[in-house]
Amino acid sequence: MAYPEPLERLVAAFECFPGVGRRSAERLAFHVLRDPKARELARAIEGALSNLVRCSVCGNPAAKDPCELCADPERDGAQLLVVEEPRDVEALERARVFRGRYHVLLGAMNPAQGVDARHLALGRLVERIRRGGIEEVILGTDPDQEGEATARLVLEAIEDARLSVRVTRLARGLPAGSAIEYLHRGVLEDALEGRVPLRRRAPPAGKTAPGRDDTPA
Amino acid sequence: MGRAFGGKSSVLGRVWPTLGAMGTANASRLEQDRVLLLARVPFGESSLVVQLFARDRGRVHLIARGAYRANSGYAGLLDLFDSLELSWHRAGQAHGALGELRAGALAVRRKHLAQDLASYGRALGVLELLDLAARVGPGDRALFERAEAALDELDFGATRRLDDCVAVDPELVALRFDLEFLGALGLAPALDRCASCGRQAPLPGTGLARTAFAPAAGGRLCQRCAAHLQSEGMAVWDLESALLEAAAALLAARDREALWALGGLPAPSPRADSQAEAHAGTLLTGGPGSSGRKAPAATLSGPRLAALGDWVDRFLEHHLETRPKSRGARRRHAANSSLPNAPHRGGPPRPSASAN
């Protein structure tokens, strides 16, 4: 027997979400019908859809425009970190490792999935850099092929616009907390290519470097 | 205990020798194959569901548990364009059930593709075609190997361009794969014979500049069949004969040297495929022994290459009954480009006016 029309609509609505097939959608729909908190979920969705706006500066979802991150005078406006998705901003903010500003591209370049340059917030990025005040653009797209292509696209857009700004890319290589024996060739290759020199401390003036001369006879 | 799977040449066998020591029950459910990644979808907190085109097993769907964890053996492994050697537990009998990835190793890394956006777009096009063709069940080893060869060539070209060296146009590589893909599906267009009656089409150089061509009939048509099929309502295109000859030459250019020569570039290595060279020379100049392949008129570049791309795209779309998304982006790019004398791409075919 077919589901009643309102239930069928709910199943179809869940089925639109990424990674949710028909059966999972049915399970979720029945869970909603059983769970007394379902109305809260409906209110949360409605609230998010009506009250959130996209920040006109960085493209991140926000309760007001410009968003708190763009409006914060304590943040370093000379550094701009370009990321693919708002989730990346959240991850970086949770980690508290970056005090500059962000620019969200709203996707990664993959024409086979219908996302190409015109779908990304590239024009707004170029305009933002052109307005001045930014010294370094850090390309923080994902370290996969789509992310690398997106980083390349951003770089070419900046170069085509002849903007004099330093462009850097987040490092690739060994993940902290892992072990070399478990890492595959690609990670090890990147780590070797991206190796950095370690600083050798210069001996203080008037002292010789430790060596044979310091060894007691 | 010896290895349960993987020959001496297997990357997985070298990197994951301990898998050979797994229990017999588990080993019987284990499968191993060389694969290309078609798509991946995040699942749960740190896992991935991946769709693969496996050399001997066709389309495979797997879950890679914990793939996003930093200490996972798959961290950063499951990426587009790379050739991977994977081992997985077979899925159950239920329709759509997922196998579970157990081990993986990188066989060939093609990391320069994303650094050259033209090559990147064409490489995505290769994977998109595989995605359209891949079915659960026995794989297609020949198609897999041609896809790997196309990705290798695109990566090689991208590497050269990054070093500011000349490289063959990625469109040429992509078009060769498109034609090979059609051949693997049994849809190769008839290029030198009438697709309807089988009679040999006029040899190149005999003076007829245009040829009747019907995708629904399977390719080139003789004058009589073209008139007959058109009277029955079949769409018949009017093409330059040189386009079909260029397609034949492209299919014959199996190795790098022959492909580069067709692109009008000096070969990057001294080795040459004399057979492909002779074949291409025959098709393009009308006779064996001719040195016409290296003449500028015989090379495939600029508007001539764009026209060939347009024709192959329309033929593919007719048989696939869909327009691959990566091709739509390419067409928009071509339409926006300001190439002088660039042919109109994507418009309807001109009505038939002549035939061979």
Side-chain angles (χ1 to χ4, degrees):
Chain A
M1 195 179 85
Y3 293 130
E5 196 261 337
L7 180 56
E8 187 58 48
R9 277 178 54 202
L10 184 60
V11 171
F14 275 123
E15 218 176 334
C16 291
F17 289 114
V20 178
R22 174 78 189 178
R23 286 181 190 170
S24 301
E26 286 175 345
R27 274 196 289 274
L28 288 168
F30 280 109
H31 183 76
V32 161
L33 294 182
R34 274 196 305 270
D35 195 336
K37 291 178 191 160
R39 287 193 190 282
E40 181 54 35
L41 173 67
R43 277 192 291 275
I45 292 174
E46 179 57 37
L49 291 176
S50 351
N51 300 327
L52 285 180
V53 291
R54 273 216 188 281
C55 173
S56 58
V57 181
C58 69
N60 216 16
K64 58 181 181 178
D65 188 16
C67 68
E68 284 181 14
L69 294 172
C70 290
D72 184 354
E74 299 296 312
R75 299 191 78 97
D76 181 4
Q79 283 191 324
L80 185 68
L81 180 49
V82 180
V83 295
E84 291 176 13
E85 299 286 352
R87 291 194 306 272
D88 302 329
V89 175
E90 175 63 21
L92 285 153
E93 282 301 293
R94 219 173 29 233
R96 296 183 185 181
V97 290
F98 180 66
R99 290 297 299 164
R101 298 194 191 277
Y102 296 97
H103 189 88
V104 185
L105 292 171
L106 302 170
M109 171 133 158
N110 187 335
Q113 290 180 359
V115 183
D116 57 38
R118 69 204 170 110
H119 297 104
L120 304 177
L122 276 176
R124 211 168 49 201
L125 171 66
V126 169
E127 278 310 305
R128 196 173 168 188
I129 301 169
R130 193 171 274 143
R131 279 200 294 273
I134 295 167
E135 291 168 15
E136 181 181 4
V137 174
I138 305 167
L139 302 178
T141 50
D142 285 346
D144 55 15
Q145 296 276 16
E146 289 141 300
E148 291 299 334
T150 309
R152 188 81 198 176
L153 189 71
V154 174
L155 175 67
E156 288 185 5
I158 291 172
E159 284 177 350
D160 288 349
R162 300 177 189 280
L163 300 169
S164 57
V165 66
R166 184 170 172 238
V167 182
T168 56
R169 177 85 172 104
L170 291 184
R172 293 180 69 137
L174 303 179
S178 185
I180 283 181
E181 64 177 308
Y182 293 113
L183 298 174
H184 68 82
R185 204 185 88 197
V187 175
L188 295 173
E189 217 174 84
D190 284 342
L192 273 169
E193 275 180 16
R195 68 190 188 275
V196 290
L198 286 179
R199 183 171 60 90
R200 277 189 69 184
R201 195 182 298 277
K207 264 196 156 185
T208 55
R212 188 172 290 176
D213 291 348
D214 296 338
T215 312
Chain B
M1 184 185 287
R3 286 177 190 154
F5 51 83
K8 280 182 183 172
S9 62
S10 158
V11 175
L12 196 62
R14 291 198 302 273
V15 178
W16 299 88
T18 51
L19 278 170
M22 292 179 82
T24 315
N26 276 344
S28 67
R29 290 179 57 219
L30 270 178
E31 291 189 331
Q32 187 204 346
D33 207 347
R34 188 175 174 110
V35 305
L36 288 166
L37 184 83
L38 299 176
R40 55 183 185 182
V41 180
F43 180 81
E45 294 297 310
S46 61
S47 301
L48 272 175
V49 171
V50 290
Q51 294 181 40
L52 309 161
F53 183 59
R55 184 175 54 190
D56 297 321
R57 288 173 176 78
R59 181 184 288 277
V60 175
H61 293 192
L62 299 179
I63 182 163
R65 295 192 191 280
Y68 278 132
R69 288 194 198 117
N71 58 357
S72 160
Y74 324 127
L77 175 73
L78 299 164
D79 207 352
L80 296 173
F81 311 138
D82 294 337
S83 293
L84 308 170
E85 291 216 16
L86 301 184
S87 168
W88 63 89
H89 278 314
R90 211 169 33 235
Q93 297 299 314
H95 175 70
L98 292 172
E100 185 173 347
L101 185 61
R102 301 302 299 166
L106 189 60
V108 180
R109 192 176 190 211
R110 302 182 180 95
K111 66 175 179 176
H112 296 112
L113 275 171
Q115 302 298 323
D116 179 58
L117 293 177
S119 301
Y120 174 72
R122 300 320 187 276
L124 283 175
V126 169
L127 294 186
E128 200 178 1
L129 286 186
L130 293 182
D131 195 18
L132 286 167
R135 297 284 177 269
V136 176
D140 185 335
R141 187 175 268 252
L143 178 60
F144 185 91
E145 285 168 0
R146 293 320 299 165
E148 279 195 317
L151 293 173
D152 282 340
E153 194 59 50
L154 288 167
D155 189 53
F156 179 74
T159 312
R160 296 211 16 124
R161 270 185 289 278
L162 282 175
D163 293 340
D164 288 330
C165 299
V166 290
V168 75
D169 191 333
E171 177 76 353
L172 202 59
V173 183
L175 284 178
R176 184 179 66 176
F177 177 74
D178 290 350
L179 292 167
E180 289 169 342
F181 172 82
L182 284 164
L185 265 58
L187 298 169
L191 297 172
D192 57 357
R193 288 182 177 276
C194 172
S196 182
C197 68
R199 278 192 304 182
Q200 189 168 14
L203 286 171
T206 51
L208 286 169
R210 304 199 73 81
T211 297
F213 187 94
R220 192 171 196 160
L221 295 174
C222 66
Q223 227 168 0
R224 197 174 56 184
C225 291
H228 173 65
L229 292 173
Q230 207 168 20
S231 70
E232 290 187 343
M234 185 180 283
V236 177
W237 303 349
D238 173 39
L239 296 178
E240 278 182 53
S241 305
L243 272 189
L244 303 185
E245 288 143 21
L250 190 54
L251 268 173
R254 296 279 290 183
D255 69 356
R256 179 169 296 156
E257 290 75 18
L259 186 72
W260 280 53
L262 205 52
L265 293 173
S269 80
R271 198 173 63 84
D273 184 339
S274 56
Q275 192 182 355
E277 196 166 328
H279 189 189
T282 304
L283 284 159
L284 288 164
T285 62
S290 162
S291 59
R293 200 189 74 178
K294 287 177 183 168
T299 59
L300 263 173
S301 56
R304 199 153 171 258
L305 180 60
L308 180 64
D310 183 40
W311 165 67
V312 173
D313 277 2
R314 283 190 281 145
F315 189 76
L316 257 173
E317 284 165 23
H318 175 86
H319 285 291
L320 297 176
E321 296 178 350
T322 182
R323 175 183 291 182
K325 285 180 181 165
S326 57
R327 259 149 238 276
R330 259 160 65 185
R331 284 192 170 187
R332 275 193 298 278
H333 181 74
N336 293 336
S337 71
S338 53
L339 266 178
N341 305 321
H344 174 64
R345 290 166 66 86
R350 281 165 289 184
S352 173
S354 66
N356 50 26

